[in-house]
Amino acid sequence: FSSRADYVRGVLICRNYKGDVDMAEIDHFLPLLMTQEEEGLTCPIMSHGNVHFLWIKHTNLYLVATTNKNSNASLVYAFLYKVVEVFTEYFTELEEESIQDNFVVVYELLDELMDFGFPQTTDSKILQEYITQEGTKLEVAKTKVPTTVTNAVSWRSEGIKYKKNEVFIDVIESINLLVNANGSVMSSDIVGTVKLKTMLSGMPELRLGLNDRALFALTGRDKGKTVTMEDVKFHQCVRLSRFESDRTISFIPPDGESELMSYRINTHVKPLIWIESVIEKFSHSRVEIMVKGGKEFLMRASFGLPSVENDEMEGKPPITVNFEIPYFTVSGIQVRYMKIIEKSGYQALPWVRYITQSGDYQLRSNF
């Protein structure tokens, strides 16, 4: 972990897992990055001699992995983003101050997240069972490390019990849309996630059914509204071999909140919210802006500005819209069923909620 503020005094914190890269090599990272930024050629992978830096930026921090081998870059970046996720759940905000205030916890987590250069336990819920935080003091649980760490199901502990067994399913779709000044849609897509809040006893087996076009084509039931999902990404609990063979989403869920899957739908999206804007310049010191949205909202604003003339062409930034629409998905995706099977045979209730919200939703104006 390092930041620009630490350029003079070095990195914030580091962990050398294999000892095959000199610790002093990290001193070359920020100078290389600054040189690339000045040249406008920033690259996610940089090299100094035979040492390669794979990095990501989060808030005011750089998370950097070093290697002198032909490593799997996808695995490295997946691990770096997982580190961000785990640390954010521990410290709420991952930034320079939270690292400095929690050095002991950070080192303990780094030792559990990876072993000799190989990712190990990366599920924060399991880590929190035996690495707990009280202020800046580390408290290691008195009980032994849970067997979950070495189980095939490493994301769920045994012996979980609830009085009322329920599963809450949130299907959330974000719309990315760019409309030009003439009103034509230049680009659009839908990014969706399926999130779970699981409150189930024991070690249940869940099967989720969606109106997946590929599934319906396999079974010969291509009827009604179906959707084609691309770039599908699953939580590690999903049995990928089962999905690849018959499109069944079968899994033993993590306890509590988790993101089961994400997907993208590359389709033409009609604008759900339309914006018209007019900007009039009455003088060098007064500008009036009128924004009209649909039939319900009209905003008119007048600004008094310093009387400064600018001969250069002024920019025309697009209008960004933020919104959220409950009980609706623009793609038409639906949860057809959620089967819950547990050896004790208890009855469980699944609840489904749909939400559509704005992603990168922009409309260019012609003023």
Side-chain angles (χ1 to χ4, degrees), residues 167-184:
V167 179
F168 298 88
I169 308 167
D170 280 347
V171 181
I172 304 171
E173 291 191 340
S174 299
I175 301 177
N176 299 320
L177 184 77
L178 178 60
V179 179
N180 66 16
N182 297 324
S184 301

Side-chain angles (χ1 to χ4, degrees), residues 67 124 130-131 146 185 219 239 266 313 350:
T67 180
S124 61
Y130 61 102
I131 299 178
V185 176
T219 57
R239 296 183 175 88
N266 189 12
M313 183 68 69

Side-chain angles (χ1 to χ4, degrees), residues 131-288:
I131 299 178
T132 59
Q133 179 196 17
E134 291 184 358
T136 58
K137 179 182 176 181
L138 173 69
E139 177 186 321
V140 179
K142 294 181 181 179
T143 57
K144 63 181 180 179
V145 174
T147 56
T148 308
V149 171
T150 55
N151 281 354
V153 183
S154 62
W155 53 88
R156 184 181 179 90
S157 299
E158 297 178 355
I160 297 173
K161 293 182 180 180
Y162 286 97
K163 291 183 179 180
K164 187 177 182 181
N165 293 286
E166 298 177 302
V167 179
F168 298 88
I169 308 167
D170 280 347
V171 181
I172 304 171
E173 291 191 340
S174 299
I175 301 177
N176 299 320
L177 184 77
L178 178 60
V179 179
N180 66 16
N182 297 324
S184 301
V185 176
M186 299 179 65
S187 63
S188 65
D189 67 355
I190 302 167
V191 177
T193 57
V194 177
K195 296 185 177 182
L196 299 181
K197 183 176 181 182
T198 307
M199 303 169 68
L200 297 174
S201 304
M203 199 67 70
E205 170 85 17
L206 274 60
R207 294 175 188 170
L208 176 67
L210 304 173
N211 54 336
D212 176 12
R213 186 165 299 169
L215 170 62
F216 279 36
L218 281 174
T219 57
R221 295 183 292 112
D222 195 1
K223 298 179 181 178
K225 175 68 175 178
T226 59
V227 297
T228 301
M229 298 181 294
E230 302 177 9
D231 300 336
V232 180
K233 177 185 174 184
F234 289 112
H235 187 279
Q236 61 177 321
C237 67
V238 176
R239 296 183 175 88
L240 295 180
S241 58
R242 183 76 185 272
F243 179 77
E244 291 169 356
S245 63
D246 59 13
R247 305 291 285 192
T248 298
I249 303 174
S250 175
F251 58 98
I252 296 173
D255 185 48
E257 296 181 0
S258 62
E259 182 176 302
L260 178 67
M261 62 179 289
S262 63
Y263 59 89
R264 183 176 62 86
I265 298 176
N266 189 12
T267 184
H268 179 79
V269 180
K270 294 182 179 179
L272 297 179
I273 294 179
W274 189 258
I275 299 292
E276 296 178 9
S277 63
V278 177
I279 293 185
E280 296 183 64
K281 293 186 177 181
F282 292 91
S283 66
H284 295 307
S285 60
R286 181 168 168 256
V287 174
E288 188 168 286

Side-chain angles (χ1 to χ4, degrees), residues 281-334:
K281 293 186 177 181
F282 292 91
S283 66
H284 295 307
S285 60
R286 181 168 168 256
V287 174
E288 188 168 286
I289 301 176
M290 182 177 71
V291 179
K292 181 181 179 183
K295 299 180 180 179
E296 299 183 19
F297 301 100
L298 176 65
M299 183 193 80
R300 185 185 295 271
S302 181
F303 297 93
L305 305 174
S307 180
V308 178
E309 293 190 42
N310 188 355
D311 294 331
E312 297 180 5
M313 183 68 69
E314 295 184 8
K316 299 179 180 179
I319 297 173
T320 300
V321 184
N322 296 316
F323 61 85
E324 182 172 293
I325 306 172
Y327 317 117
F328 170 74
T329 56
V330 68
S331 71
I333 194 169
Q334 293 179 345

